[in-house]
């Protein structure tokens, strides 16, 4: 037991040494210190996430992924472990798995400390990841739709040419029919591309203060819905009152608006462009 305690104490000192090197941007030395700490105490998740952070600074995403996978294996509730794992996976274009890790990090962060800087940072990266996934998928969808549309147009033109040569005296009727079919075809493909076409986000999905789409909506006794972080910042810095009705308002009176939150999620699932962070 004495040897175990001695190893733990030594590992903690190595972690502190690593932290000091990290703050001085001496990432190689920090990695060495954390690696020694891991050798002494391999089951401490924070040593792995600290080393992963150094690898992140060096853009060594393969090692970031390796260390973070080990960290979340040791500590399923590691916010930083899931967060950096998500970043590493996104760098390697593993969109679905990366988004899943970032979502897990966001859920854990909101549960531990919903007002921490970490929650905002994770949300920003998650939104960026979701937008990248949409951009990748929508480009492929657009390409597929364009190819299919061109094939359909060619088929209609060939049918028109065949009909004209086979039927005499009805050229005008055949031309009108072909024109109507082409218009219908354009209408169908235009409709199919609508979800990937950016437009104005509905007002009821946006915060009345920031006008941005909701992330974590809460409803006040007045019936108005606000972004949680924004309304809490208002109450803390401006005053304890509803910014629209001016009625007295305290943080404890705010309730999560699950209906709006679900509506936002449903909208984002089919309109990934709305994740774009300007």
């Amino acid at each position: 037991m004495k040897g175990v305690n001695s190893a733990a104490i030594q590992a903690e000192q190595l972690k502190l040494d690593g932290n000091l090197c990290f703050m001085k941007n001496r990432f190689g030395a920090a990695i060495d210190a954390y690696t020694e700490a891991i050798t002494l105490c391999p089951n401490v998740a924070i040593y792995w996430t600290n080393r992963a952070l150094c690898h992140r600074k060096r853009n060594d995403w393969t090692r970031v992924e390796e260390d973070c996978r080990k960290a979340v294996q040791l500590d399923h509730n590691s916010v930083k472990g899931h967060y950096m794992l998500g970043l590493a996976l996104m760098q390697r274009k593993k969109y679905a798995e990366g988004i899943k890790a970032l979502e897990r990090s966001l859920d854990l962060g909101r549960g531990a400390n919903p007002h921490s800087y970490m929650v905002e940072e994770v949300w920003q990266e998650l939104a960026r990841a979701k937008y990248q996934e949409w951009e990748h998928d929508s480009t492929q969808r657009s390409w597929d739709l364009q190819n299919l549309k061109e094939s359909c147009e060619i088929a209609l033109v060939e049918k028109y040419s065949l009909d004209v040569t086979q039927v005499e005296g009805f050229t005008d009727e055949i031309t009108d029919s072909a024109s109507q079919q082409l218009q219908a075809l354009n209408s169908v493909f235009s409709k199919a591309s609508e979800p990937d076409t950016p437009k104005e986000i509905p007002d009821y999905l946006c915060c009345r203060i920031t006008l941005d789409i909701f992330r974590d909506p809460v409803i006040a006794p007045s019936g108005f819905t606000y972004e949680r972080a924004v309304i809490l910042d208002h109450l803390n810095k401006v005053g304890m009152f509803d910014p629209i009705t001016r009625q007295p308002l305290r943080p404890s009176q705010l309730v999560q608006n699950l209906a709006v939150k679900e509506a936002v999620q449903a909208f984002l699932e089919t309109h990934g462009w709305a994740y774009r962070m300007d």
Side-chain angles (χ1 to χ4, degrees), residues 147-161 182 185:
N147 286 340
L148 181 58
K149 182 183 177 184
E150 290 176 358
S151 296
C152 291
E153 287 173 340
I154 291 171
L156 281 176
V157 170
E158 290 177 348
K159 181 179 182 300
Y160 168 74
S161 299
L182 282 172
L185 183 69

mmCIF file of all heavy atoms in Angstrom, residues 147-161 182 185:
data_model
loop_
_atom_site.group_PDB
_atom_site.id
_atom_site.type_symbol
_atom_site.label_atom_id
_atom_site.label_comp_id
_atom_site.label_asym_id
_atom_site.label_seq_id
_atom_site.Cartn_x
_atom_site.Cartn_y
_atom_site.Cartn_z
ATOM 1 N N ASN A 147 -27.598 14.894 -61.389
ATOM 2 C CA ASN A 147 -27.388 13.804 -62.343
ATOM 3 C C ASN A 147 -28.704 13.128 -62.712
ATOM 4 O O ASN A 147 -28.955 12.815 -63.890
ATOM 5 C CB ASN A 147 -26.425 12.769 -61.766
ATOM 6 C CG ASN A 147 -24.988 13.248 -61.766
ATOM 7 O OD1 ASN A 147 -24.631 14.156 -62.506
ATOM 8 N ND2 ASN A 147 -24.161 12.656 -60.917
ATOM 9 N N LEU A 148 -29.546 12.907 -61.697
ATOM 10 C CA LEU A 148 -30.840 12.263 -61.947
ATOM 11 C C LEU A 148 -31.734 13.161 -62.800
ATOM 12 O O LEU A 148 -32.413 12.682 -63.729
ATOM 13 C CB LEU A 148 -31.524 11.944 -60.619
ATOM 14 C CG LEU A 148 -32.891 11.252 -60.704
ATOM 15 C CD1 LEU A 148 -32.777 9.937 -61.472
ATOM 16 C CD2 LEU A 148 -33.451 11.004 -59.300
ATOM 17 N N LYS A 149 -31.716 14.456 -62.509
ATOM 18 C CA LYS A 149 -32.525 15.401 -63.274
ATOM 19 C C LYS A 149 -32.093 15.425 -64.740
ATOM 20 O O LYS A 149 -32.934 15.395 -65.658
ATOM 21 C CB LYS A 149 -32.406 16.799 -62.680
ATOM 22 C CG LYS A 149 -33.250 17.851 -63.393
ATOM 23 C CD LYS A 149 -33.023 19.235 -62.806
ATOM 24 C CE LYS A 149 -33.814 20.284 -63.579
ATOM 25 N NZ LYS A 149 -33.550 21.660 -63.089
ATOM 26 N N GLU A 150 -30.791 15.466 -64.960
ATOM 27 C CA GLU A 150 -30.286 15.482 -66.335
ATOM 28 C C GLU A 150 -30.670 14.208 -67.077
ATOM 29 O O GLU A 150 -31.031 14.250 -68.266
ATOM 30 C CB GLU A 150 -28.768 15.659 -66.326
ATOM 31 C CG GLU A 150 -28.322 17.051 -65.896
ATOM 32 C CD GLU A 150 -26.813 17.176 -65.796
ATOM 33 O OE1 GLU A 150 -26.124 16.154 -66.036
ATOM 34 O OE2 GLU A 150 -26.328 18.283 -65.471
ATOM 35 N N SER A 151 -30.637 13.083 -66.396
ATOM 36 C CA SER A 151 -31.021 11.814 -67.027
ATOM 37 C C SER A 151 -32.505 11.824 -67.398
ATOM 38 O O SER A 151 -32.888 11.344 -68.479
ATOM 39 C CB SER A 151 -30.734 10.647 -66.082
ATOM 40 O OG SER A 151 -29.345 10.533 -65.821
ATOM 41 N N CYS A 152 -33.321 12.368 -66.501
ATOM 42 C CA CYS A 152 -34.761 12.456 -66.767
ATOM 43 C C CYS A 152 -35.046 13.395 -67.940
ATOM 44 O O CYS A 152 -35.908 13.115 -68.786
ATOM 45 C CB CYS A 152 -35.506 12.924 -65.523
ATOM 46 S SG CYS A 152 -35.538 11.724 -64.178
ATOM 47 N N GLU A 153 -34.318 14.511 -67.980
ATOM 48 C CA GLU A 153 -34.508 15.467 -69.079
ATOM 49 C C GLU A 153 -34.126 14.842 -70.417
ATOM 50 O O GLU A 153 -34.824 15.025 -71.433
ATOM 51 C CB GLU A 153 -33.676 16.726 -68.816
ATOM 52 C CG GLU A 153 -34.235 17.597 -67.707
ATOM 53 C CD GLU A 153 -33.308 18.750 -67.354
ATOM 54 O OE1 GLU A 153 -32.098 18.659 -67.679
ATOM 55 O OE2 GLU A 153 -33.787 19.723 -66.756
ATOM 56 N N ILE A 154 -33.025 14.114 -70.430
ATOM 57 C CA ILE A 154 -32.587 13.442 -71.664
ATOM 58 C C ILE A 154 -33.632 12.427 -72.120
ATOM 59 O O ILE A 154 -33.970 12.334 -73.313
ATOM 60 C CB ILE A 154 -31.224 12.749 -71.448
ATOM 61 C CG1 ILE A 154 -30.127 13.803 -71.270
ATOM 62 C CG2 ILE A 154 -30.889 11.825 -72.617
ATOM 63 C CD1 ILE A 154 -28.786 13.228 -70.840
ATOM 64 N N ALA A 155 -34.194 11.688 -71.153
ATOM 65 C CA ALA A 155 -35.213 10.689 -71.480
ATOM 66 C C ALA A 155 -36.460 11.345 -72.058
ATOM 67 O O ALA A 155 -37.055 10.838 -73.026
ATOM 68 C CB ALA A 155 -35.565 9.884 -70.244
ATOM 69 N N LEU A 156 -36.855 12.491 -71.485
ATOM 70 C CA LEU A 156 -38.037 13.203 -71.993
ATOM 71 C C LEU A 156 -37.802 13.746 -73.403
ATOM 72 O O LEU A 156 -38.684 13.681 -74.263
ATOM 73 C CB LEU A 156 -38.399 14.346 -71.043
ATOM 74 C CG LEU A 156 -39.171 13.975 -69.765
ATOM 75 C CD1 LEU A 156 -39.365 15.203 -68.889
ATOM 76 C CD2 LEU A 156 -40.516 13.356 -70.106
ATOM 77 N N VAL A 157 -36.609 14.286 -73.641
ATOM 78 C CA VAL A 157 -36.275 14.817 -74.966
ATOM 79 C C VAL A 157 -36.265 13.694 -75.998
ATOM 80 O O VAL A 157 -36.772 13.852 -77.128
ATOM 81 C CB VAL A 157 -34.907 15.534 -74.940
ATOM 82 C CG1 VAL A 157 -34.454 15.877 -76.361
ATOM 83 C CG2 VAL A 157 -35.000 16.800 -74.095
ATOM 84 N N GLU A 158 -35.699 12.535 -75.627
ATOM 85 C CA GLU A 158 -35.673 11.399 -76.543
ATOM 86 C C GLU A 158 -37.086 10.905 -76.836
ATOM 87 O O GLU A 158 -37.411 10.553 -77.984
ATOM 88 C CB GLU A 158 -34.831 10.272 -75.951
ATOM 89 C CG GLU A 158 -33.341 10.580 -75.913
ATOM 90 C CD GLU A 158 -32.530 9.489 -75.247
ATOM 91 O OE1 GLU A 158 -33.145 8.599 -74.616
ATOM 92 O OE2 GLU A 158 -31.281 9.522 -75.358
ATOM 93 N N LYS A 159 -37.942 10.893 -75.810
ATOM 94 C CA LYS A 159 -39.338 10.476 -76.006
ATOM 95 C C LYS A 159 -40.060 11.461 -76.931
ATOM 96 O O LYS A 159 -40.831 11.060 -77.811
ATOM 97 C CB LYS A 159 -40.054 10.394 -74.660
ATOM 98 C CG LYS A 159 -41.516 9.937 -74.755
ATOM 99 C CD LYS A 159 -42.135 9.849 -73.385
ATOM 100 C CE LYS A 159 -43.582 9.352 -73.482
ATOM 101 N NZ LYS A 159 -44.445 10.241 -74.284
ATOM 102 N N TYR A 160 -39.776 12.757 -76.726
ATOM 103 C CA TYR A 160 -40.405 13.781 -77.577
ATOM 104 C C TYR A 160 -39.989 13.595 -79.039
ATOM 105 O O TYR A 160 -40.829 13.621 -79.956
ATOM 106 C CB TYR A 160 -39.989 15.169 -77.079
ATOM 107 C CG TYR A 160 -40.327 16.292 -78.037
ATOM 108 C CD1 TYR A 160 -41.637 16.740 -78.196
ATOM 109 C CD2 TYR A 160 -39.322 16.892 -78.805
ATOM 110 C CE1 TYR A 160 -41.940 17.755 -79.092
ATOM 111 C CE2 TYR A 160 -39.612 17.916 -79.693
ATOM 112 C CZ TYR A 160 -40.934 18.342 -79.829
ATOM 113 O OH TYR A 160 -41.244 19.348 -80.707
ATOM 114 N N SER A 161 -38.707 13.373 -79.247
ATOM 115 C CA SER A 161 -38.205 13.185 -80.621
ATOM 116 C C SER A 161 -38.835 11.960 -81.267
ATOM 117 O O SER A 161 -39.205 11.968 -82.451
ATOM 118 C CB SER A 161 -36.684 13.038 -80.606
ATOM 119 O OG SER A 161 -36.075 14.191 -80.076
ATOM 120 N N LEU A 182 -41.593 18.698 -68.649
ATOM 121 C CA LEU A 182 -40.333 19.309 -68.213
ATOM 122 C C LEU A 182 -40.558 20.266 -67.047
ATOM 123 O O LEU A 182 -39.760 20.314 -66.102
ATOM 124 C CB LEU A 182 -39.675 20.047 -69.384
ATOM 125 C CG LEU A 182 -38.947 19.174 -70.409
ATOM 126 C CD1 LEU A 182 -38.522 20.013 -71.608
ATOM 127 C CD2 LEU A 182 -37.727 18.495 -69.778
ATOM 128 N N LEU A 185 -41.135 18.223 -64.030
ATOM 129 C CA LEU A 185 -39.864 17.654 -63.602
ATOM 130 C C LEU A 185 -39.051 18.676 -62.805
ATOM 131 O O LEU A 185 -38.513 18.372 -61.739
ATOM 132 C CB LEU A 185 -39.074 17.198 -64.825
ATOM 133 C CG LEU A 185 -37.730 16.492 -64.551
ATOM 134 C CD1 LEU A 185 -37.971 15.141 -63.916
ATOM 135 C CD2 LEU A 185 -36.948 16.320 -65.857
#
